[in-house]
Amino acid sequence: MRDVKRASSPRSAPMEMSPTSFREVGHELVDRIADLLAAMPAGPVTPGEMPADVRRALGQSSLPKDGRDANALLRETADLLAQHSLFNGHPRFLGFITSSAAPIGALADLLAASVNPNLGGWLLSPMASEIEAQSIRWIAELIGYPSDCGGILVSGGNVANFVGFWAARRAKGGDLVRTDGAAAVAGLRVYASSATHTWLEKIADLSGLGTRAIHSIPVDPSERLDAGALRSAIEEDLGRGLQPFMVVGSAGTVSTGAIDPLADIASICREFDLWFHIDGAYGAPAAAMDNPPADLRSIREADSVAVDPHKWLYAPLEAGAVLVRDNAVLRDTFSYHPPYYPDKVPDDESGVMYYELGPQNSRGFRALKVWLGLKQVGREGYRQMITEDVRLARVLFDEAQSNPELEAVTHNLSITTFRYVPEGLPPSDAADEDYLNDLNRRLLVALQQGGEVFLSNAVLDDRYLLRACVVNFRTSEEDIRAIPEIVVRVGRGLR
Ligand SMILES: *Cc1c(COP(=O)(O)O)cnc(C)c1O
């Protein structure tokens, strides 16, 4: 450490806090957060308020002219959030794919923001950039991907998948796409199952390819991409003079957690020289289990993989990650150094420049919460938590199956779908199906506002289903076993 002396004549800016007052205010805030976490499991998942209630609580004043004391402000703000928030850290929050946040991640964010490195360039973030690079390698190790891959942390699964898409387009579409736009390479086609998350439509549109560039492949009854149909689609498009460039496989679909036949997709991609991208935003960390679904072993064959640390690695929002087998492709996608021009100094001498590997320029230190999570519990901790989440989803499926008023529909990874079917109503003819869809839709709204348990929904073969996704290290077996009674009770009330 260099010893730099500086004459002290501190300016007193309105925003500054003295170390003494920071310590005081910070300690009190940490105490309040600890109280909030302690009280959370006994309270409702959500107060279930309407927007008007929340706006009223916030107040609608105009921009304050003068400032206020930080301690009072944080006290009031902590109360405001404690009283008017949905808590995805609650043991009975099982909605969407949103995890409980690791407490160490909250502390990491405080530390990260306090040092405030800018991870656009190595010079501005020496240790932080190295921590991000190590996090990328560790995530790769965790999911069985080559750890000498390139990669970058981004805001979430959508952007992680966008980066995979852009890399594919760059690698397979060539320089012309960069200089003349997508239209210059006519007929680019991307293949993905009909159960793929909507990020693909968004990026096909926003990248100028248009959503018709997506060739949607049917799924089998278990929601997995039909590999035979994929091959036929590629052959048919080639016959029409189109240019297939990319196939997306899901390692855990957003709706039901289905895993595409990734090994088959990998071999089709090799055969036709296509970029193989895996959307593992939700499910890729399941590869860390002792006996993961066989197809997760093919993660290692992908050209790029999206993983969401803010889902099954329990990092607080926001943290997405994309891993790209060949770091040079990632750099070539985002950097304006021509590819034939060797880097002046390689990464291991100059440090990685993240502005060259992704869409952002200035970048925050989201790596710290991911890295500290990986260090706090290690591979073994994640293996244990993920395995338990999967087991609990299975328990819910079995509970639903043995309950005469519930119909269990799917269980994959840690997602279970089921629905309420009142007694004396054979779920057979179409009128009954319409009735059941409407009933379950209303049931979900009532559950989501009731605060006892938070579920979301899936639609499968035109059936509206309740859906629980356990990416929650706080959920216990008791929480899971309580769900059927709650659902049936609220369901009966709606009949
Ligand atoms: C959640 C999810 C996404 C989107 O990720 P965000 O972090 O919400 O942006 C994409 N694909 C799959 C399979 C997902 O589960």
Side-chain angles (χ1 to χ4, degrees), residues 97 156-159 161 197 199 252-254 279 281-282 308 310-311:
I97 307 183
N158 259 32
V159 176
N161 283 304
H197 189 280
W199 65 265
T253 57
V254 64
D279 179 1
Y282 158 51
D308 248 353
H310 70 209
K311 286 181 174 169

Side-chain angles (χ1 to χ4, degrees), residues 28 111 218 243 282 296 306 353 377 398 424 436 445:
E28 190 176 325
L111 178 56
Q243 304 199 40
Y282 158 51
L296 292 185
M353 294 289 194
V377 304
D398 293 342
L436 283 177
V445 172

Side-chain angles (χ1 to χ4, degrees), residues 90 183 185 188 204 226 285 292-293 336 346 447:
H90 193 289
V185 186
L188 286 173
D226 177 339
Y336 273 84
L447 289 170

